[in-house]
Amino acid sequence: MEFYIIICILFVALTTVSSEDDGQVIFVKELSSKPAQKLSRYGWFGSARLQKFHIPEDAAIARWQFTVTKGHSFHGFCGEHNVTIYIRWGAPPVVNPVGLVFPNDTEWSPAHSLHLPVTSQATATFNLSDPSPGDWYVVAHLPRDDGRIEQKGFPSCSYYFQPQLSIRRAVDTPILQQTSGLPQAAAPDRPARLKLFVPEFVSSLSVSVTDCASQTDPGEGACPLVLRLGSASALKAGLVTVNCSTNGCSATLLAPPWHTWLRVVVESVRDNHTVTFNVTSKYTVSCKPESVGLSPDIIRTHGNNSHGNSTLAANGTAIAQVDAPSKLSAAGTLSPACVWNIPVLAEELDVLSVRFSPASGPNVSVARSNPTMLSYPLHTLTSGGTLNLQLTLNTINTTLGNSSSVIACLSPWAPVLSLNSSQPCQTALFLGYGLHVNTSFPKAVIRLPFPQAATWYLSLQLTCNSSECGNVSVVSVVPEVSVSACVEDCGTYGECRLLRSNTYLYSACVCKAGWSGWGCTDDSAALSYGRQVTATLLLTLSNLLFLPAILVAARRCYVTEASVYLFTMFFSTFYHACDQPGVAVMCIMDYDTLQFCDFLGSVCSIWVTILCMARVRDTLKYTLFVLGALLIAMSMQLDRRGLWNMLGPVLCAVLAMVIAWVYRGVRRRHCYPPSWQRWVLYLVPGLLCTLVGVCVYIFAETEDNYLYTHSLWHVLVACSVVFLLPPRERSREAWGWSRGWAGSWSPRVCGYTLCNSSKEELYTVS
């Protein structure tokens, strides 16, 4: 019994405390962090590091902390580097750090950026009040790529980027209703926070602050308040701010965002002053489409929809169909409804590939008196692609004057329903993208890389003078809207690649042959066709220098080694013929297969050459050949560009050669090979060719001189093989080719076997 009495007392006490806190918004803290990622120099968007954060509803303050740390694998001096960080809401930021050219008809706006100088470690913070709820994207990269090719596994200057997000979220934000006012109080350190819901088809919204009274100075007649509507979305837009006067203040939004919560913040601008006031809201719905009722309809589609999922993206109306005679008067004008709402069919064709089409057919009617509206919902999964709009005027049976045109406005979150040539294409909080078509220019195109994840609205209306329009009050246009991975599939000199950051997918163009830009359309540094052909010929024909090595190996009866050199020459030639960035390309088989065989042959050539120099017995040598080839093939499959894939076999082969040479030297009590001519005329030049080739391959290769330096690498490696191959063994000299192919054969006379001398040969100059 006493236990229940204590529980009741605690309940009454907690109820009393909570009643005392009524009207005060409670804030909670939430943290999120992303793993550190290694930064790269900017060459294309794929070299930047992308991270996605989610900010919940009613977040009051968002604070990002960016930490850049130098890697511990390299202890040399790296100097100071500037790390560039971009932040954007709703979609990844479109970055252009080097001022490249964008494709035609491509619209983009720069995101907010920060520059963080780093020597060993640096930290920067970015604070944002009243952030928009949803997904925020952070991109970071090092300065522009200098073109130097870094070999994987060698120590270099590396930097790691780790972002963290801390937010303050209100858990009990009051809801502002339209019917009555809501009394509130605001202080400099504790502003009043409210939210209201904006339904669809709202044309205007107004929020008013009245009955201001200062609790600190009741006799003061001023109203030291600031009214803010909206959220910080684009860091420069998305907010409307009004300073209140003695009689209060009011803010009106024309075309507010539909079907979303709108934030209302009222704060006191005078120190140590708490102001009480009433806040009211009112919205107007001036234009709605006609209702279609609840009777089921058959969705009429056009085209082949069998390759993707189809979804009706908007509520259709009967007036959406051009051939509905009941909705057109005898003069061809619209029914009294003030907007045509066209149902849209969304077809998901592939990853980052969505096609939108009007459900009633490709042609859409556009009137002079009332606007036509189509809606296109873009989800988070499609924000990593490109939104494409192509508007075509149907000029058949349509006569318009020179100044007559169809005006279109593509805007997110809310449509622009009052269209004319003098009014900009923008809503209350967001900018739109305008375009127009007429008889002189019947087609207009616009492309938006990384569109914001929201519902986009396309508004259309016919504008013309009465004398020019004549009896024409309705025209037909064909809006083609789609989401693609890249802009025009990156053109001829680019490749569209699908990228991933955790679970988020996005795409970007990687350019070749010197072309650059967002869609690989910038030809300011493009390679000419002659230079492309020169690069292909140099990189392929330089492999023919392996022919002397093949002939020398075959003449000295090293048939296995000659086969490996032939394999390397063949696949290196056709790999570089397929690996060219331009149009002078020839691929005899899959690129991945050619690359694997080229890398495998290169390492195996080094492996068999060094083992051949060791002069071990044939059984052991061929066993090591096969075992090494198998292990090298396995390592190439794991990581083809790894440092130890080449360094490991080289060290093992060199170790075996040194052991064999030391053994022979100790056994014979003199240096091995014993001939100074062998050292001066063969081994030293071969080692010099190898050393120069390795230095060129590791330290001198850049993207600009790749065709010269890598061709020189082919020549030096082939020459080193000619110098380093040992002379023919005595046992092979006796039988030549027949012994090389037939194996060990000894003649038998009268039942006795004639034995050959197997005395070891001393590295003499032949």
Side-chain angles (χ1 to χ4, degrees):
M1 184 65 181
E2 295 178 355
F3 174 76
Y4 291 104
I5 294 176
I6 294 174
I7 293 296
C8 293
I9 294 174
L10 290 175
F11 176 76
V12 172
L14 291 175
T15 306
T16 305
V17 172
S18 62
S19 63
E20 291 176 356
D21 290 338
D22 285 344
Q24 301 292 334
V25 178
I26 299 176
F27 296 93
V28 295
K29 182 178 181 180
E30 296 181 2
L31 301 173
S32 61
S33 178
K34 300 296 181 180
Q37 290 184 321
K38 185 178 179 180
L39 293 176
S40 301
R41 290 184 175 273
Y42 187 84
W44 61 297
F45 192 79
S47 58
R49 297 295 173 259
L50 174 66
Q51 296 282 16
K52 184 178 75 169
F53 291 89
H54 183 77
I55 293 183
E57 292 279 353
D58 302 329
I61 297 176
R63 183 178 185 269
W64 277 276
Q65 178 174 315
F66 306 114
T67 303
V68 179
T69 307
K70 178 185 172 183
H72 300 290
S73 59
F74 185 68
H75 302 284
F77 180 72
C78 297
E80 184 179 87
H81 294 276
N82 286 325
V83 177
T84 307
I85 304 170
Y86 303 87
I87 306 174
R88 188 188 178 197
W89 170 66
V94 180
V95 302
N96 188 21
V98 293
L100 300 177
V101 177
F102 276 75
N104 295 330
D105 305 316
T106 302
E107 298 288 341
W108 68 285
S109 56
H112 184 79
S113 60
L114 303 172
H115 297 280
L116 181 60
V118 181
T119 302
S120 59
Q121 183 175 359
T123 302
T125 58
F126 176 72
N127 298 324
L128 185 63
S129 300
D130 302 324
S132 295
D135 294 326
W136 286 76
Y137 298 83
V138 176
V139 167
H141 63 79
L142 289 171
R144 185 177 182 177
D145 189 5
D146 55 2
R148 190 170 66 89
I149 300 176
E150 295 183 357
Q151 304 301 329
K152 186 176 180 181
F154 284 91
S156 61
C157 294
S158 59
Y159 296 91
Y160 293 87
F161 172 73
Q162 184 175 22
Q164 294 177 327
L165 173 63
S166 172
I167 64 172
R168 299 291 191 273
R169 180 174 62 88
V171 296
D172 50 359
T173 304
I175 298 176
L176 182 61
Q177 303 289 344
Q178 186 183 9
T179 55
S180 59
L182 187 64
Q184 290 289 309
D189 58 343
R190 201 173 184 88
R193 299 182 177 273
L194 307 96
K195 62 180 181 180
L196 60 92
F197 186 77
V198 182
E200 288 187 275
F201 305 109
V202 171
S203 58
S204 65
L205 170 70
S206 63
V207 176
S208 302
V209 173
T210 58
D211 302 332
C212 293
S214 175
Q215 294 182 353
T216 307
D217 190 2
E220 184 181 9
C223 185
L225 295 176
V226 172
L227 172 63
R228 292 200 306 269
L229 301 182
S231 303
S233 56
L235 306 180
K236 295 181 180 179
L239 284 172
V240 173
T241 304
V242 177
N243 293 320
C244 298
S245 61
T246 56
N247 298 324
C249 57
S250 177
T252 302
L253 302 181
L254 299 177
W258 287 0
H259 199 69
T260 185
W261 288 96
L262 185 68
R263 183 173 302 172
V264 180
V265 178
V266 183
E267 61 181 358
S268 176
V269 295
R270 185 166 299 179
D271 296 337
N272 301 324
H273 272 62
T274 301
V275 182
T276 60
F277 56 91
N278 285 330
V279 57
T280 58
S281 67
K282 180 181 180 181
Y283 61 80
T284 303
V285 179
S286 60
C287 194
K288 273 188 176 182
E290 291 187 356
S291 175
V292 297
L294 296 177
S295 58
D297 295 331
I298 298 178
I299 301 177
R300 298 188 303 169
T301 61
H302 59 89
N304 186 7
N305 300 334
S306 60
H307 300 288
N309 299 326
S310 301
T311 306
L312 197 63
N315 294 324
T317 61
I319 57 175
Q321 302 183 19
V322 214
D323 54 354
S326 60
K327 297 300 175 180
L328 297 176
S329 64
T333 59
L334 281 171
S335 62
C338 61
V339 60
W340 284 11
N341 188 24
I342 308 297
V344 175
L345 194 67
E347 302 174 75
E348 298 180 4
L349 305 177
D350 203 344
V351 179
L352 295 180
S353 179
V354 182
R355 181 174 61 192
F356 298 95
S357 56
S360 57
N363 293 292
V364 172
S365 296
V366 180
R368 178 186 174 189
S369 57
N370 302 319
T372 301
M373 183 185 72
L374 300 91
S375 59
Y376 306 96
L378 299 185
H379 306 290
T380 303
L381 297 179
T382 59
S383 62
T386 301
L387 178 62
N388 308 285
L389 168 61
Q390 177 176 308
L391 189 65
T392 306
L393 176 65
N394 190 350
T395 57
I396 301 177
N397 299 326
T398 301
T399 304
L400 294 176
N402 295 329
S403 61
S404 303
S405 61
V406 174
I407 298 180
C409 179
L410 183 65
S411 58
W413 295 101
V416 178
L417 297 179
S418 299
L419 296 174
N420 54 66
S421 57
S422 60
Q423 183 177 354
C425 175
Q426 65 180 32
T427 60
L429 301 179
F430 303 99
L431 295 176
Y433 303 91
L435 62 163
H436 67 279
V437 291
N438 50 36
T439 54
S440 301
F441 301 95
K443 182 181 293 185
V445 179
I446 189 172
R447 302 181 181 92
L448 304 177
F450 296 157
Q452 199 176 71
T455 299
W456 289 74
Y457 296 90
L458 178 62
S459 306
L460 304 165
Q461 193 165 6
L462 174 64
T463 60
C464 57
N465 299 326
S466 301
S467 58
E468 294 182 347
C469 284
N471 294 328
V472 179
S473 59
V474 178
V475 296
S476 178
V477 297
V478 180
E480 300 178 37
V481 179
S482 63
V483 175
S484 61
C486 298
V487 178
E488 294 185 342
D489 203 21
C490 301
T492 306
Y493 293 95
E495 178 185 354
C496 185
R497 292 188 180 180
L498 188 64
L499 307 172
R500 182 177 66 89
S501 174
N502 296 326
T503 59
Y504 180 74
L505 297 177
Y506 59 103
S507 59
C509 290
V510 54
C511 306
K512 54 187 179 180
W515 290 70
S516 57
W518 190 263
C520 299
T521 57
D522 188 355
D523 60 349
S524 58
L527 300 179
S528 63
Y529 180 74
R531 183 176 174 84
Q532 296 178 33
V533 173
T534 302
T536 303
L537 292 178
L538 277 177
L539 291 171
T540 55
L541 297 182
S542 60
N543 289 282
L544 297 180
L545 267 295
F546 271 95
L547 286 175
I550 296 172
L551 295 177
V552 169
R555 178 169 177 78
R556 297 178 183 178
C557 297
Y558 297 123
V559 181
T560 304
E561 290 82 347
S563 302
V564 174
Y565 301 150
L566 179 63
F567 179 90
T568 302
M569 182 188 71
F570 178 83
F571 281 102
S572 179
T573 300
F574 287 101
Y575 165 68
H576 286 290
C578 185
D579 187 49
Q580 293 309 300
V583 294
V585 180
M586 185 182 70
C587 298
I588 62 173
M589 59 181 66
D590 182 66
Y591 175 83
D592 188 70
T593 304
L594 290 173
Q595 186 187 63
F596 176 81
C597 293
D598 173 55
F599 284 36
L600 175 64
S602 301
V603 181
C604 285
S605 297
I606 301 174
W607 172 255
V608 299
T609 302
I610 300 177
L611 288 180
C612 185
M613 295 171 60
R615 302 299 288 266
V616 296
R617 295 185 179 273
D618 287 352
T619 303
L620 177 60
K621 182 177 72 170
Y622 294 129
T623 302
L624 293 176
F625 279 3
V626 175
L627 182 61
L630 294 176
L631 293 177
I632 292 170
M634 179 197 67
S635 63
M636 288 297 168
Q637 185 63 27
L638 294 175
D639 185 8
R640 295 177 190 175
R641 300 186 182 275
L643 174 63
W644 287 100
N645 289 341
M646 179 178 292
L647 193 59
V650 169
L651 292 179
C652 292
V654 168
L655 179 62
M657 184 188 69
V658 170
I659 292 175
W661 285 11
V662 170
Y663 172 76
R664 288 190 177 92
V666 172
R667 184 179 178 183
R668 299 175 181 179
R669 300 178 182 275
H670 56 73
C671 182
Y672 186 87
S675 174
W676 65 269
Q677 293 95 334
R678 185 69 191 173
W679 283 96
V680 174
L681 300 179
Y682 293 94
L683 296 181
V684 172
L687 292 176
L688 287 178
C689 289
T690 303
L691 181 61
V692 174
V694 170
C695 293
V696 169
Y697 181 79
I698 296 176
F699 303 108
E701 280 191 356
T702 64
E703 294 181 359
D704 295 332
N705 65 10
Y706 178 78
L707 70 160
Y708 305 111
T709 54
H710 202 75
S711 300
L712 181 60
W713 156 257
H714 290 164
V715 173
L716 292 174
V717 169
C719 293
S720 65
V721 171
V722 174
F723 284 110
L724 295 177
L725 271 179
R728 180 164 32 184
E729 298 179 13
R730 291 284 182 87
S731 59
R732 297 174 185 257
E733 290 182 4
W735 303 104
W737 284 98
S738 63
R739 184 173 180 86
W741 290 104
S744 298
W745 177 80
S746 299
R748 297 177 63 86
V749 179
C750 299
Y752 294 93
T753 301
L754 298 181
C755 298
N756 295 320
S757 176
S758 59
K759 187 177 181 179
E760 295 182 1
E761 181 245 347
L762 300 177
Y763 254 106
T764 58
V765 180
S766 58

